[in-house]
Amino acid sequence: MPELKNGQLHVVIAEKGAELRKVTRTDLQQDYIWSADPAFWAKTSPVLFPIVGTVKNNTYTFEGKNYTLSRHGFARDNVYAVTSQSDTQITFELNSNEDTLKVYPFHFRFAVIYTIEGAKLTVTYQVENKGASDMYFSVGAHPAFKVPLEEGVTYEDYYLEFNKVEDTPLYLLSDGGFVETTPVPFLDHTQRLDLKKSLFYKDALVFKSLSSNAITLKSDKKTHGLTLQYDGFPFMGIWAAIDADFVCIEPWCGVADSVNATGELTEKEGINLLPAKQLFERSWSVDFF
């Protein structure tokens, strides 16, 4: 698998799904990414495109035609071409083809670019509309960070720290993975969310109105952690598989269908419209300490 290296970071990415598989602070001998234990969840950091979450009945409608698309889209299951690579940056590229057009009727170039600088990893998504008319899409991240990061502490010794005080409700997911329409009170004038495995027994925590643009995973009992920064992503998901030793911090440009969604792609909440021949770009980054 392709690798990036500098004096502090060693990063491994799979060509299948352009999926981040490993991040190590070599100077600290510290690993950060979930082990992909198949007993819980066999992935580490899937890329979500051209949808985030689930559409009703795995089906949506565009220009009067129905299309079938599974949860989080097809980008995580495709093998990407490596179009450029150095010691500190690599670009993975996926282009529309005969198979994608059957489930997603748009001509596109989708690139995932990984860059390291010091102890910071930046992940950039580029979506290029190669067609002659408007394109509709969502894109998002799903990185899983191992918890606990170090020995001698437990999952519950860790917490997420928001970089701004949050008075932010939570949108619950239905049994089918659809977003409920009425939010419930959750973050009450706080910057802290204590981790406990029961938080995720009913699927992901979905936020639509966080004030923060950075979230830190840390423990007061240990020194190592990470800060994920996500400018330009209006939605945030926080998730773990049931009783698994990880937490996903997921910046999204898009969200699962609501329980009352029409199924019409152009009406989907959080959908992004990209005019013909235009380029959309978003980046998120993680500082590892």
Side-chain angles (χ1 to χ4, degrees):
M1 287 186 280
E3 302 179 358
L4 301 176
K5 290 182 180 180
N6 62 15
Q8 292 179 278
L9 288 183
H10 176 207
V11 175
V12 179
I13 311 107
E15 288 166 297
K16 182 179 179 180
E19 184 174 7
L20 180 66
R21 300 305 301 267
K22 184 175 182 179
V23 176
T24 304
R25 271 288 298 263
T26 51
D27 56 335
L28 303 176
Q29 297 184 322
Q30 175 64 49
D31 291 323
Y32 293 88
I33 300 298
W34 158 245
S35 64
D37 182 350
F40 295 93
W41 191 54
K43 294 183 179 294
T44 51
S45 184
V47 175
L48 316 182
F49 175 84
I51 58 168
V52 171
T54 303
V55 292
K56 281 187 173 181
N57 302 314
N58 291 327
T59 303
Y60 67 91
T61 302
F62 181 70
E63 293 186 341
K65 184 177 179 180
N66 291 334
Y67 296 88
T68 298
L69 201 54
S70 59
R71 185 181 178 93
H72 292 320
F74 51 72
R76 60 183 181 163
D77 298 317
N78 277 257
V79 175
Y80 289 61
V82 175
T83 58
S84 67
Q85 183 176 7
S86 68
D87 289 341
T88 58
Q89 186 177 81
I90 186 168
T91 299
F92 296 86
E93 191 170 295
L94 178 68
N95 286 275
S96 53
N97 55 51
E98 184 176 306
D99 290 332
T100 67
L101 289 169
K102 292 176 183 177
V103 297
Y104 182 66
F106 301 98
H107 294 270
F108 66 85
R109 180 185 69 88
F110 178 55
V112 185
I113 304 166
Y114 291 90
T115 307
I116 58 173
E117 183 177 1
K120 180 179 181 178
L121 169 68
T122 300
V123 183
T124 300
Y125 303 130
Q126 290 182 345
V127 182
E128 182 182 356
N129 182 354
K130 296 175 69 174
S133 57
D134 292 342
M135 171 180 168
Y136 296 85
F137 71 95
S138 298
V139 65
H142 203 317
F145 304 106
K146 71 175 192 174
V147 181
L149 286 167
E150 302 174 72
E151 295 182 356
V153 286
T154 68
Y155 194 93
E156 290 74 18
D157 288 323
Y158 284 80
Y159 60 95
L160 300 180
E161 183 177 78
F162 300 90
N163 69 328
K164 295 183 181 179
V165 174
E166 296 290 351
D167 289 285
T168 309
L170 177 68
Y171 285 82
L172 300 175
L173 293 176
S174 71
D175 291 341
F178 309 118
V179 181
E180 299 285 0
T181 56
T182 303
V184 297
F186 191 69
L187 297 175
D188 183 12
H189 202 71
T190 184
Q191 289 181 258
R192 178 168 172 148
L193 174 60
D194 292 314
L195 289 183
K196 50 186 178 180
K197 292 182 176 179
S198 61
L199 277 174
F200 310 110
Y201 284 179
K202 293 185 178 180
D203 212 329
L205 311 180
V206 177
F207 299 95
K208 298 183 182 182
S209 56
L210 287 175
S211 299
S212 300
N213 65 348
I215 298 174
T216 298
L217 171 66
K218 63 195 298 188
S219 170
D220 292 334
K221 296 182 179 181
K222 291 290 183 177
T223 58
H224 297 311
L226 58 93
T227 298
L228 188 148
Q229 185 156 351
Y230 53 96
D231 297 293
F233 291 83
F235 304 96
M236 170 59 65
I238 299 173
W239 176 79
I242 292 176
D243 289 330
D245 288 333
F246 69 84
V247 65
C248 290
I249 306 172
E250 308 177 36
W252 299 334
C253 289
V255 69
D257 271 1
S258 70
V259 293
N260 61 0
T262 66
E264 175 61 47
L265 184 63
T266 60
E267 299 173 356
K268 180 174 171 56
E269 182 180 11
I271 203 73
N272 297 276
L273 186 157
L274 186 61
K277 312 305 180 185
Q278 297 299 301
L279 180 72
F280 171 100
E281 183 172 292
R282 291 290 186 278
S283 297
W284 54 277
S285 62
V286 188
D287 285 289
F288 299 94
F289 59 85

